[in-house]
Amino acid sequence: MFGTLSDRLSGILSGLTRRGSLTEEDVNAALREVRRALLEADVALEVVRSFTDKVRERAVGAEVLKSITPGQQVIKIVNDVLIETLGGEGESINFDAVPPVPVLMVGLQGSGKTTSTAKIAKRLTERHKKKVLMASLDTRRPAAMEQLAILGQQVGVQTLPIVAGQSAVQIARRAVEAARLGGYDVVMLDTAGRVTLDDTLMAEVAEVKAATNPHEVLLVADALTGQDAVNTARAFDARVGLTGIVLTRMDGDSRGGAALSMRAVTGKPIKLVGIGEKVDELDEFHPSRVANRILG
Ligand code: GDP
């Protein structure tokens, strides 16, 4: 209804004569549109504020390049700050440790955690020629354990045999030991999903982390949950300490606000992106693509 941010900025700034540099007034008018576009893309308010401050700082007094209009100049600055905030391209999973390297997968139920575990295991097996073992630590939901076993068969990755009655920490220890004995390179631990950020399950994840000393702790978060994804990321990072984020459902109509907010709030890189339900629908994170979605 309002057109893309680029269109809006060009409209607002089209009346400006070339003054050589952008005035505070020009920039403020533009920033009102930037703020609106970020909020429409479901970026968290605190992130919108710090983001627009950064753009203002860079834009006021900036020389308008001869070849472009003031509107294009602001768009370029917004795009640059977006890409910087979203972080580097191709941050991949780090296995720079003595094998078996434990990778802990955490997140809310329904975020795509189990699917992403299998997708990553498949990728590590096929592209990186790693020998991967997966284990489900979801002792409360036998169906989740079954789901991982089925996905394992589908992607050709071993899963730890299910033993009833063990705690999450016991399963995690058994997985690491089995991976060590079996000569595996990576052991992926799929922790229990939780509907809310409840303390008991958070304590369990912290306990598993302490027992296994994972090299990566990856938060799986649904891009469509927008601002909730930020609260989830903040809580997991504070309680468990994340090393990276896997953003799922980027095939949906998310504008990418969750990516920007989670990265800005936690400072942790988005390492991979889920782009569909199928096991090979996993992609590297491309900041410029997300910036384009946000800019519209
Ligand atoms: P978990 O409860 O976090 O383990 O979530 P699941 O892995 O069971 O995934 C929940 C649902 O989301 C399943 O139907 C998945 O197929 C689906 N899903 C997971 N990742 C993606 C994704 O990137 N895109 C889409 N469209 N669906 C996904």
Side-chain angles (χ1 to χ4, degrees):
M1 176 162 90
F2 302 111
T4 66
L5 178 61
S6 308
D7 293 343
R8 285 188 237 158
L9 288 180
S10 302
I12 288 177
L13 300 177
S14 64
L16 298 179
T17 48
R18 291 182 188 278
R19 296 190 190 96
S21 61
L22 294 168
T23 66
E24 190 153 2
E25 226 180 15
D26 304 337
V27 172
N28 281 339
L31 283 180
R32 274 194 288 279
E33 292 301 326
V34 172
R35 190 175 300 121
R36 195 161 84 181
L38 293 178
L39 291 172
E40 280 168 13
D42 217 3
V43 176
L45 195 57
E46 64 189 280
V47 176
V48 173
R49 283 204 195 99
S50 60
F51 185 87
T52 46
D53 285 350
K54 216 182 276 177
V55 174
R56 177 180 292 111
E57 210 171 277
R58 205 169 297 181
V60 173
E63 291 282 318
V64 177
L65 302 170
K66 292 240 159 24
S67 53
I68 59 177
T69 64
Q72 287 167 332
Q73 175 94 7
V74 175
I75 291 162
K76 184 181 177 321
I77 294 170
V78 171
N79 192 52
D80 289 349
V81 178
L82 273 175
I83 289 173
E84 279 168 36
T85 311
L86 286 164
E89 191 135 345
E91 284 256 19
S92 51
I93 295 181
N94 178 3
F95 340 88
D96 196 11
V98 178
V101 178
V103 174
L104 194 60
M105 305 293 290
V106 304
L108 295 179
Q109 196 169 308
S111 60
K113 190 166 46 57
T114 301
T115 312
S116 299
T117 303
K119 285 178 177 178
I120 294 171
K122 181 174 193 286
R123 193 184 184 88
L124 296 183
T125 307
E126 290 175 2
R127 294 202 191 179
H128 301 272
K129 308 293 172 221
K130 301 284 177 190
K131 190 175 171 192
V132 183
L133 180 67
M134 304 192 290
S136 169
L137 311 186
D138 200 340
T139 54
R140 290 163 194 80
R141 289 192 313 142
M145 292 195 165
E146 279 300 322
Q147 185 194 354
L148 189 69
I150 291 165
L151 284 167
Q153 279 169 10
Q154 206 179 318
V155 298
V157 172
Q158 288 289 322
T159 46
L160 187 75
I162 298 169
V163 174
Q166 287 198 316
S167 71
V169 173
Q170 285 169 333
I171 301 171
R173 287 212 173 98
R174 183 160 60 86
V176 172
E177 186 57 14
R180 200 177 59 76
L181 293 173
Y184 286 84
D185 300 305
V186 179
V187 52
M188 301 199 60
L189 303 170
D190 182 17
T191 60
R194 71 258 2 255
V195 180
T196 57
L197 294 165
D198 87 70
D199 213 54
T200 321
L201 281 165
M202 218 46 132
E204 183 180 282
V205 177
E207 215 185 318
V208 168
K209 185 184 177 192
T212 56
N213 192 21
H215 205 56
E216 291 272 11
V217 181
L218 300 177
L219 172 71
V220 179
D222 179 347
L224 295 175
T225 60
Q227 308 227 18
D228 280 346
V230 181
N231 299 332
T232 307
R234 198 197 311 269
F236 272 102
D237 197 31
R239 192 75 166 83
V240 195
L242 302 173
T243 60
I245 295 164
V246 178
L247 197 60
T248 61
R249 297 211 177 82
M250 281 299 274
D251 50 308
D253 58 2
S254 152
R255 292 280 305 277
L260 185 73
S261 302
M262 288 198 293
R263 171 74 206 211
V265 165
T266 64
K268 300 297 155 63
I270 296 164
K271 296 203 165 186
L272 292 161
V273 172
I275 49 166
E277 297 201 13
K278 298 201 193 78
V279 285
D280 49 6
E281 288 178 320
L282 183 73
D283 201 359
E284 264 115 49
F285 177 63
H286 298 292
S288 53
R289 287 191 203 158
V290 177
N292 283 342
R293 278 198 193 204
I294 294 174
L295 279 172

